[in-house]
């Protein structure tokens, strides 16, 4: 977490989703169940800004992303977004598409681990939000649909063509993004898109269990692991090894590294400080 604060105050109220904090876990619940939690322009902007703020808050070790009602997120709202984009000028359209991609960028660059708890449908932008999370805990009922080509757009949206091939392979990503078919949880699991597959009634417990484990763990080590996983995607092996060596040398001066040794020699569990 950054120790440096600017003049701008931190946001205490978010208007376009529900935010609940308990301990070090912050849970964002997309809260338009009557629309299967379809996203609006304002919801994208709030997600972008929340993810940008989290490293500066100091009160969040894990972010959980959920959807209220029957599904996770059905993507962009057909009327509020697609209808309006048909009337927008090119510069406004570019500002919008850049904003949606910015949500994914800050999600990947945020040092806080992100868990997506997915039930029902994760479609369009909802599927990319799930993809961009660090962990996807998926209920049997879940379905993924990267359906951008089904509305006449490119299947490469919000970073999907960058992230998905690295997760499921180029062949599977081509099939998923180009055809835009809906895939069920079992198929998503076979592709490698699922971190943990659970029965529907076990989803809440599984998400909470993982969130608690991460919130109580070595946050500094988690943050550096996430950062290097993203940065090394396009690096040479020699560059990656050097970056990892420098990172490990830094972490060897951390309080958590010293705490592990003290706990090991004292025959007790470590009390991670996240620094």
């Amino acid at each position: 977490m950054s120790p440096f604060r600017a003049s701008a105050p931190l946001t205490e109220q978010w208007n376009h989703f529900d935010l609940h904090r308990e301990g070090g876990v912050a849970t964002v619940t997309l809260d338009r169940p009557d629309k299967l939690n379809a996203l609006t322009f304002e919801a994208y902007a709030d997600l972008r800004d929340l993810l940008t703020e989290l490293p500066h808050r100091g009160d969040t070790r894990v972010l959980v992303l959920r959807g209220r009602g029957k599904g996770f997120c059905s993507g962009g709202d057909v009327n509020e977004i697609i209808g309006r984009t048909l009337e927008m000028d090119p510069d406004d359209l570019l500002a919008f598409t850049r904003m949606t991609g910015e949500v994914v960028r800050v999600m990947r660059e945020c040092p806080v681990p992100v868990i997506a708890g997915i039930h029902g449908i994760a479609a369009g932008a909802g599927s990319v939000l799930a993809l961009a999370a660090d962990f996807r805990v998926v209920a049997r009922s879940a379905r993924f649909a990267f359906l951008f080509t089904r509305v006449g757009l490119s299947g490469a949206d919000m970073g999907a063509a960058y992230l998905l091939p690295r997760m499921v392979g180029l062949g599977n990503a081509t099939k998923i993004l180009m055809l835009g078919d809906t895939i069920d949880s079992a198929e998503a699991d076979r592709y490698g898109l699922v971190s943990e597959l659970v029965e529907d009634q076990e989803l809440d417990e599984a998400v909470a269990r993982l969130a608690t484990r991460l919130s109580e763990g070595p946050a500094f080590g988690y943050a550096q692991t996430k950062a290097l996983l993203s940065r090394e995607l396009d690096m040479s092996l020699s560059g990656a090894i050097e970056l990892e060596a420098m990172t490990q040398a830094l972490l060897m001066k951390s309080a958590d590294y010293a705490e592990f040794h003290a706990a090991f020699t004292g025959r007790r569990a470590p009390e991670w400080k996240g620094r």
Side-chain angles (χ1 to χ4, degrees), residues 10-33:
L10 294 170
T11 307
E12 296 304 327
Q13 180 175 337
W14 301 92
N15 296 327
H16 303 289
F17 47 68
D18 179 66
L19 177 63
H20 173 73
R21 289 189 178 88
E22 185 172 348
V25 180
T27 300
V28 166
T29 303
L30 303 176
D31 194 17
R32 300 181 75 208

Side-chain angles (χ1 to χ4, degrees), residues 25 62 64 66 115-118 135-140 194-214:
V25 180
V62 182
V64 174
R66 299 293 304 271
I115 303 169
I118 304 161
F135 299 90
R136 283 154 298 284
V137 182
V138 178
R140 292 279 180 189
V194 174
S195 303
E196 183 179 0
L197 183 61
V198 299
E199 300 302 324
D200 282 43
Q201 65 272 19
E202 299 171 356
L203 180 62
D204 292 348
E205 180 182 350
V207 170
R209 182 169 58 246
L210 178 56
T212 298
R213 176 177 177 179
L214 291 168

Side-chain angles (χ1 to χ4, degrees), residues 131-213:
L131 173 65
D134 299 296
F135 299 90
R136 283 154 298 284
V137 182
V138 178
R140 292 279 180 189
S141 69
R143 306 180 312 283
F144 295 84
F146 293 80
L147 45 65
F148 303 105
T149 60
R150 293 295 187 96
V151 301
L153 297 177
S154 167
D157 191 50
M158 296 174 63
Y162 180 89
L163 294 172
L164 193 60
R166 289 163 169 79
M167 185 172 296
V168 305
L170 179 60
N172 288 330
T174 300
K175 177 182 177 182
I176 292 169
L177 293 181
M178 197 168 292
L179 297 181
D181 291 339
T182 299
I183 60 175
D184 62 22
S185 60
E187 188 173 6
D189 192 26
R190 288 196 299 271
Y191 285 144
L193 190 57
V194 174
S195 303
E196 183 179 0
L197 183 61
V198 299
E199 300 302 324
D200 282 43
Q201 65 272 19
E202 299 171 356
L203 180 62
D204 292 348
E205 180 182 350
V207 170
R209 182 169 58 246
L210 178 56
T212 298
R213 176 177 177 179

